[in-house]
Amino acid sequence: MNTTLPARDDIERTARRRVAARMGWTLHALVFLAVNAGLVLISMRSGRDWAIYPALGWGLGLLIHGAAVWVRLGGGGLYERWLAQERERLQRGR
């Protein structure tokens, strides 16, 4: 019976790590949207179209971050749903 406890701990730790990675990307995306919306407003008020440049640069970083998280870990949902999915996957031996 003690041999299953470390496996459960490993599953829980791995599930939490994967969900934290997904939540990190989600937060990154929300900050990206909020900041770039503000930059677009500032750009529009100044009469110049410069806001696309920071959006493209940051967007590339967000894309790379997303690829590292979503491609490596698979799809997802919200925190609790992700955590439950990871627990299931890990218990099934994936």
Side-chain angles (χ1 to χ4, degrees):
M1 186 163 176
N2 286 339
T3 59
T4 60
L5 289 177
R8 286 183 185 163
D9 289 344
D10 289 342
I11 289 171
E12 183 69 19
R13 184 175 25 258
T14 303
R16 287 185 181 279
R17 182 179 45 82
R18 289 180 179 183
V19 169
R22 289 180 184 143
M23 289 299 290
W25 183 86
T26 303
L27 179 61
H28 187 180
L30 291 173
V31 171
F32 169 84
L33 291 173
V35 169
N36 281 290
L39 291 177
V40 166
L41 291 175
I42 293 169
S43 175
M44 289 171 56
R45 286 185 139 201
S46 71
R48 297 184 180 152
D49 295 329
W50 54 264
I52 188 70
Y53 301 110
L56 288 174
W58 193 352
L60 179 61
L62 184 62
L63 180 67
I64 293 168
H65 185 181
V69 170
W70 297 102
V71 171
R72 184 173 53 117
L73 300 179
L78 296 174
Y79 185 85
E80 291 298 324
R81 195 173 92 204
W82 288 340
L83 194 56
Q85 287 174 349
E86 286 305 320
R87 285 183 186 128
E88 282 182 37
R89 270 189 210 130
L90 292 167
Q91 287 173 349
R92 288 191 306 243
R94 282 189 184 171

